[in-house]
Amino acid sequence: MCALQFKIPRIIAISNQKGGVGKTTTAVNLATALCAIGQSVLLVDMDAQGNATTGLGIDKKKVSKSVYDILGGTAKPYEIAIETKIPRLSIIASTAALSGAEVELATAKNREGRMKAALHVNMPYDYVIIDCPPSLNFLTLNALVAAHAIVVPLQCEFYALEGLSQLSNTIKLVKKKFNPTLEMHGIVLTMYDRRNRITRLVEKDVRKFFGEKVYKTVIPRNVRLSEAPSYGLPALVYDMKCVGAQAYIELAKEVIGREKQVYNQMQVA
């Protein structure tokens, strides 16, 4: 059996201040897809609703230590990570206690940097994927301060660009005040239906304004993607052959490709 390799992992936040865009679906299935192509991943459920936790079959009632304990400084990520049914994928769960973290830590020292301090350490993971809440709050800020990059799920609908503009402003603010190296890794179009005129118009506009930042892979509307969480499984395990699962495999390959570019740029610098 190979010894675990400890290193500081690359940290990617899955974020969009707008809800209902496929954020948690993307976090869970991208993490699973990265594992499927050989990476080791820690998924951090920063959303108080805990959908990523239940989506991986974890019973929140049986979770003794969660993200709340990390923010409170009473636990370390590697110590409380829960191994999932997916090889090489672990999760730091979310519980109801997380909803009170913002108030409890309102006057705490370095309150926006708690997650960064916890995650920027040597761990046996290649990547940390953070599922952010659908709002700009204390939890999202902690995730963005900790992250090296952001993946933005963008639903193909009329108000998509408005929400993306708000997120772009948030990224600029976080870079200026807390995390100067934060970058937008890419934008992934979700709930994609080429038969829908709005989908085609949104795609055209997003690719026009953001160019290569938009992933080539799009995530289609797919019943299997919607069904999978109710079984406590990622779509890639629930139905590996469905178009949604295959799309996330392709997205993971694109993410790895861009990560290699980042690595090469860092070596040159």
Side-chain angles (χ1 to χ4, degrees), residues 25 29 191 220-231 233 235 238 242:
T25 298
N29 286 288
M191 305 179 194
R221 285 192 178 276
N222 181 237
V223 173
R224 293 304 209 191
L225 287 179
S226 301
E227 291 177 347
S230 64
Y231 291 89
L233 295 170
Y238 180 62
C242 75

Side-chain angles (χ1 to χ4, degrees), residues 7 13 21-22 29 32 36 69-70 72 82 88 106 108 126 129-130 133 143 163 169 171 206 212 217 256 263 267:
K7 56 195 171 296
V21 298
N29 286 288
T32 304
D69 298 282
I70 292 175
I82 302 170
R88 294 184 295 277
D126 298 305
I129 303 295
I130 305 178
N169 290 334
I171 293 172
V206 173
E212 293 184 357
T217 303
I256 292 296
Y263 177 79
Q267 295 304 304

